[in-house]
Amino acid sequence: MVVNRLRSDHVGWRRVMWRGCVLLGLCAMPAAAQDTKEVDLALVLAVDVSGSIDPDEAELQRQGYVRAFTDPLIKKAILGGYSGRIAVAYFEWSDAWRQQLLVDWTLLDSEAAIEAFADRLAKAPITILTRTSISGAIRYAVPLFERNPYSAERKVLDISGDGANNDGGLVTQARDDALTQKITINGLPIMNGRPNKYGFPPDPDLDRYYEGCVIGGPRSFLVVANSFQNFDDAVRKKLMQEIAGITPNGRTRASDVPERRLGVTGERQVAQALEGSMPAPGKRPYELGCDIGERRSREFWQRRFQQ
């Protein structure tokens, strides 16, 4: 009886001590929480490899990202932030259920780490698939952020593509679900200007579609690539804006990117790389409706089958 009472008193005392410790913020955190590194940005790169993109264009896209991450100015932006590091993941997407994670969450905290990331990207195989599901890409990215092993106040999903959503759920629903998770979505629409291998015509106003239906969240923006040939400059400028985190809402074209001025250093150099950004247009609704990709796809294939 005495022993049981002593044990009861001991347990009660431990509970009192633990509650006091919690209230005062003095309790030791679990090892996993203590080891979590803070990063300036958690960035997911989602790249279109649907049927409208041929193998040569897919290679141009991939090399655009590889060269961007080996650019001295991009390295300077990554290592020059408050924490001096960012976390990046890269996947390619097409149909609603086809996403391929090429590089999982990787900490970029040194020039060597950045070079290794670019090298892994360069060596990964390229697979071209069929349809275009921006909504599928967004839904795939959300759990990626949930299992990110690093702590980041800024979470950015970066989507590049050359067509409107035509597979899976509505892109606006997927976008809005991601925004509730405090994920900012930026866009890099590629104005391809030619039909795909099936004869499906390009979207002449893809930039307006991305603006009204795809991007969203605090300080979201899009950079327009006028062709796959100037994709390098578009990627470089977009990454600079995302990593530096100093651009207002707005739209930028790759043609606005000035020549490199690597003789200039520091903040002035970063500012020069961002010259030409268009003023913020606001969140304008897309007048043709955000299901335009689905409707155009149905009409195209109906005509094909009726011939």
Side-chain angles (χ1 to χ4, degrees), residues 49-82:
V49 290
S50 59
S52 57
I53 295 174
D54 65 33
D56 291 338
E57 292 168 340
E59 181 65 27
L60 285 172
Q61 277 192 117
R62 177 74 65 78
Q63 290 304 315
Y65 283 98
V66 171
R67 282 191 282 269
F69 277 97
T70 55
D71 186 293
L73 188 54
I74 297 295
K75 292 179 182 178
K76 184 186 295 291
I78 292 172
L79 302 177
Y82 181 80

Side-chain angles (χ1 to χ4, degrees), residues 194-262:
R194 61 159 183 77
N196 68 15
K197 60 184 178 182
Y198 304 106
F200 195 88
D203 296 310
D205 55 355
L206 187 63
D207 51 349
R208 296 206 305 274
Y209 172 85
Y210 261 69
E211 183 182 348
C213 306
V214 178
I215 68 171
R219 306 186 74 184
S220 59
F221 67 94
L222 61 88
V223 174
V224 181
N226 297 314
S227 69
F228 282 95
Q229 281 62 44
N230 73 350
F231 190 76
D232 279 24
D233 281 342
V235 170
R236 188 173 66 90
K237 184 158 192 176
K238 175 180 57 65
L239 286 175
M240 180 60 65
Q241 293 178 233
E242 287 165 338
I243 294 166
I246 58 176
T247 185
N249 287 349
R251 176 202 303 232
T252 304
R253 291 192 177 270
S255 57
D256 295 325
V257 181
E259 293 297 319
R260 288 181 174 85
R261 301 180 176 91
L262 296 180

Side-chain angles (χ1 to χ4, degrees), residues 25-68:
L26 300 176
C27 298
M29 296 295 291
Q34 289 179 324
D35 294 341
T36 301
K37 286 188 175 181
E38 290 187 3
V39 294
D40 296 313
L41 170 68
L43 176 64
V44 171
L45 302 170
V47 180
D48 182 5
V49 290
S50 59
S52 57
I53 295 174
D54 65 33
D56 291 338
E57 292 168 340
E59 181 65 27
L60 285 172
Q61 277 192 117
R62 177 74 65 78
Q63 290 304 315
Y65 283 98
V66 171
R67 282 191 282 269

Side-chain angles (χ1 to χ4, degrees), residues 18 28-29 32 108 159 167 177 189 204 206 210 256 275 292 294:
W18 174 252
M29 296 295 291
L108 304 185
I159 297 181
D167 189 38
D177 290 345
L206 187 63
Y210 261 69
D256 295 325
E275 286 175 359
I292 185 64
E294 289 85 349

Side-chain angles (χ1 to χ4, degrees), residues 61-262:
Q61 277 192 117
R62 177 74 65 78
Q63 290 304 315
Y65 283 98
V66 171
R67 282 191 282 269
F69 277 97
T70 55
D71 186 293
L73 188 54
I74 297 295
K75 292 179 182 178
K76 184 186 295 291
I78 292 172
L79 302 177
Y82 181 80
S83 298
R85 53 185 177 244
I86 69 171
V88 179
Y90 180 106
F91 73 91
E92 293 177 343
W93 57 271
S94 59
D95 304 52
W97 305 109
R98 293 189 180 182
Q99 300 87 25
Q100 185 175 12
L101 182 62
L102 299 186
V103 183
D104 206 346
W105 285 111
T106 302
L107 185 66
L108 304 185
D109 58 354
S110 67
E111 288 203 16
I114 299 170
E115 292 282 350
F117 171 80
D119 186 60
R120 287 179 62 190
L121 208 53
K123 292 177 179 177
I126 296 175
T127 302
I128 304 297
L129 294 168
T130 310
R131 298 180 70 83
T132 302
S133 182
I134 300 173
S135 58
I138 296 173
R139 294 196 187 284
Y140 179 80
V142 170
L144 266 183
F145 283 103
E146 291 173 352
R147 65 174 183 78
N148 174 22
Y150 306 103
S151 174
E153 288 191 8
R154 286 197 298 140
K155 298 185 292 184
V156 174
L157 170 58
D158 183 330
I159 297 181
S160 61
D162 74 338
N165 190 79
N166 62 28
D167 189 38
L170 289 175
V171 66
T172 46
Q173 183 61 60
R175 177 197 62 188
D176 294 347
D177 290 345
L179 296 185
T180 64
Q181 302 299 314
K182 298 183 179 179
I183 298 169
T184 293
I185 302 176
N186 295 332
L188 200 168
I190 307 164
M191 310 299 282
N192 200 346
R194 61 159 183 77
N196 68 15
K197 60 184 178 182
Y198 304 106
F200 195 88
D203 296 310
D205 55 355
L206 187 63
D207 51 349
R208 296 206 305 274
Y209 172 85
Y210 261 69
E211 183 182 348
C213 306
V214 178
I215 68 171
R219 306 186 74 184
S220 59
F221 67 94
L222 61 88
V223 174
V224 181
N226 297 314
S227 69
F228 282 95
Q229 281 62 44
N230 73 350
F231 190 76
D232 279 24
D233 281 342
V235 170
R236 188 173 66 90
K237 184 158 192 176
K238 175 180 57 65
L239 286 175
M240 180 60 65
Q241 293 178 233
E242 287 165 338
I243 294 166
I246 58 176
T247 185
N249 287 349
R251 176 202 303 232
T252 304
R253 291 192 177 270
S255 57
D256 295 325
V257 181
E259 293 297 319
R260 288 181 174 85
R261 301 180 176 91
L262 296 180

